[in-house]
Amino acid sequence: MATIAITNQPPHQHKMSAGYAERLKEYPNKGKCGLPENYDTSRSLSSKISTLAQLMNQSCYTVVLTGAGISTSAGIPDFRGPNGIWTREQQRLMKLKKKRKRVEDNDNNDDQSEQPQQNDNEQQQSSKGSSSSPSFVTAQPTLTHRALAHLITNNTPHPNHNNKNQYYLQHLITQNIDGLHGKTTSLPRNQLSILHGDIFTEKCSTCHKEYIR
């Protein structure tokens, strides 16, 4: 299995998507958040693309697994990046802890007795993020989403396949719930596996037909 997500563009300074943080379950083991992103030089990127193309030419069956990084340039945050959901959550909690420390150190604060309940409410709201951020609805597939769909559906048969209807990419698996692969209309649904569900898709419990909202 190959894990592929290629972009030569830095992601936008994106806001947290509306409702996303609120839907996430509490997860204490978030790992290292806020690490800087590294970008390949043009020469290095070109070399890696050439190597990837060679591997795909030699492969008889290629599957791509995509994660949060493929959608950052569409304005949807990842989790641990500089503007990730968990990174911003940690930054907010750190500011809240500093604020609470200042209050606790202020012996002249008349409202000190009421502060614990207020701070508990602030911490709960802070950990869930802002509800005024943009939603997934306006996000559109990136060049990478469209390129992957093209590799599955393009009319240039793979040179090493006897089946002339067999193309360079056979299947796509995504961990994302943003629905951007589904918005790439040329991508056949039977060649896309969505591991964690899609917020725009509902399935009939009787006939199992999918409906896109």
Side-chain angles (χ1 to χ4, degrees):
M1 179 185 293
T3 302
I4 308 171
I6 301 173
T7 177
N8 58 1
Q9 304 176 31
H12 301 311
Q13 296 295 318
H14 36 248
K15 299 178 181 178
M16 188 181 299
S17 299
Y20 196 9
E22 290 87 340
R23 291 189 182 102
L24 295 175
K25 294 181 179 179
E26 291 297 328
Y27 183 69
N29 303 314
K30 296 182 173 67
K32 184 68 174 178
C33 297
L35 292 175
E37 294 184 342
N38 298 316
Y39 298 96
D40 292 315
T41 64
S42 296
R43 182 175 180 178
S44 175
L45 181 62
S46 178
S47 174
K48 289 180 179 180
I49 291 174
S50 296
T51 301
L52 175 60
Q54 183 178 4
L55 289 172
M56 293 186 72
N57 272 326
Q58 296 170 350
S59 172
C60 293
Y61 198 96
T62 303
V63 177
V64 171
L65 170 66
T66 66
I70 195 177
S71 297
T72 54
S73 56
I76 296 177
D78 56 16
F79 293 91
R80 299 181 181 87
N83 296 292
I85 290 175
W86 290 340
T87 301
R88 292 192 172 199
E89 177 187 86
Q90 288 187 356
Q91 291 170 348
R92 287 192 301 272
L93 291 176
M94 185 63 67
K95 289 180 181 179
L96 181 59
K97 287 180 181 178
K98 290 181 179 179
K99 179 180 177 181
R100 294 183 68 175
K101 182 68 167 57
R102 287 196 300 267
V103 172
E104 291 170 359
D105 291 343
N106 185 0
D107 295 333
N108 297 321
N109 190 343
D110 295 335
D111 298 327
Q112 191 172 15
S113 61
E114 300 178 4
Q115 196 63 36
Q117 178 66 37
Q118 179 182 353
N119 284 336
D120 289 342
N121 292 337
E122 287 178 358
Q123 182 166 356
Q124 183 177 4
Q125 181 178 3
S126 178
S127 65
K128 292 299 183 181
S130 171
S131 62
S132 60
S133 305
S135 71
F136 287 119
V137 177
T138 57
Q140 295 298 317
T142 67
L143 291 175
T144 311
H145 289 92
R146 295 197 292 270
L148 291 173
H150 178 75
L151 288 173
I152 287 180
T153 61
N154 79 90
N155 56 8
T156 304
H158 194 296
N160 294 332
H161 286 163
N162 294 327
N163 183 353
K164 296 306 179 182
N165 293 322
Q166 189 94 29
Y167 303 137
Y168 284 91
L169 181 60
Q170 281 67 54
H171 202 80
L172 181 60
I173 304 172
T174 185
Q175 303 176 93
N176 299 339
I177 66 167
D178 53 38
L180 292 184
H181 285 299
K183 288 183 179 180
T184 310
T185 54
S186 62
L187 179 62
R189 181 63 181 87
N190 63 355
Q191 289 178 274
L192 172 64
S193 294
I194 306 172
L195 298 184
H196 303 308
D198 179 338
I199 61 172
F200 297 111
T201 302
E202 306 212 7
K203 180 183 286 188
C204 176
S205 59
T206 302
C207 68
H208 305 295
K209 181 177 180 180
E210 291 186 349
Y211 295 89
I212 308 298
R213 287 185 279 112

